[in-house]
Amino acid sequence: MNAPAPYYVQGSPLGIRFNALLGKLARLGISLAGTAELSVPGRTSGRMQRIPVNPHRYEGAQYLVSARGHSQWVRNMRVAGGGELRVGRKVRAFTVTELTDPVEKAAVLRAYLEKWGWEVNRFFQGVTAKSSDADLRAAAADHPVFRVTVTK
């Protein structure tokens, strides 16, 4: 029997255009609510793939959370082990460590949803910042979380 496909919510045509606009604004130095443009090398092409993200600071560390689930940038990040975050001329190279502990991930997800829930709640299948710890731990498997370590 085949295992179910990893959770992923594909963007709508309007959402894809909106994300392209957010990425362009970040490249120009305009960060809306803290957005940045993530660049990560593609798994097969090696070309830098760019997407707007919401870097999140929690307990002194910075994280990237994939609200949409196991997306292409997540798969690329797992292979590359890092990338770049850009807002205008400020480019920060980084490496990542993917969180695997559901309890640790749930704490980061709760804080992420407190800040970004207005934008991303629809991708969390009813789980919000006010959900129980058990519900957040259950949702953690569907939403990869990476701890960012800036290298330059």
Side-chain angles (χ1 to χ4, degrees), residues 12-149:
S12 68
L14 179 61
I16 291 169
R17 284 194 292 275
F18 184 70
N19 275 347
L21 173 63
L22 287 176
K24 186 172 185 172
L25 289 172
R27 273 192 308 281
L28 294 172
I30 302 167
S31 174
L32 300 178
T35 60
E37 182 183 65
L38 168 67
S39 296
V40 62
R43 298 183 304 285
T44 55
S45 72
R47 290 189 0 241
M48 293 301 263
Q49 306 296 308
R50 301 183 309 200
I51 185 165
V53 292
N54 301 325
H56 180 66
R57 189 155 293 283
Y58 174 71
E59 293 190 345
Q62 188 170 40
Y63 296 88
L64 294 174
V65 175
S66 181
R68 292 178 181 269
H70 297 268
S71 62
Q72 291 300 320
W73 78 258
V74 166
R75 294 172 187 166
N76 290 338
M77 188 66 69
R78 287 175 175 149
V79 171
E84 296 177 341
L85 287 171
R86 171 187 301 270
V87 177
R89 293 183 182 171
K90 184 177 181 181
V91 179
R92 294 174 294 148
F94 65 89
T95 59
V96 294
T97 303
E98 186 168 4
L99 303 187
T100 56
D101 175 30
V103 174
E104 184 181 15
K105 281 179 71 174
V108 174
L109 288 174
R110 182 180 305 284
Y112 179 80
L113 289 169
E114 285 171 355
K115 180 171 183 179
W116 296 102
W118 61 273
E119 181 184 355
V120 301
N121 271 347
R122 67 185 181 275
F123 304 122
F124 280 80
Q125 301 173 305
V127 174
T128 70
K130 295 182 180 184
S131 293
S132 70
D133 289 344
D135 286 343
L136 282 161
R137 284 191 304 271
D142 291 337
H143 301 280
V145 176
F146 297 90
R147 183 180 302 107
V148 172
T149 303

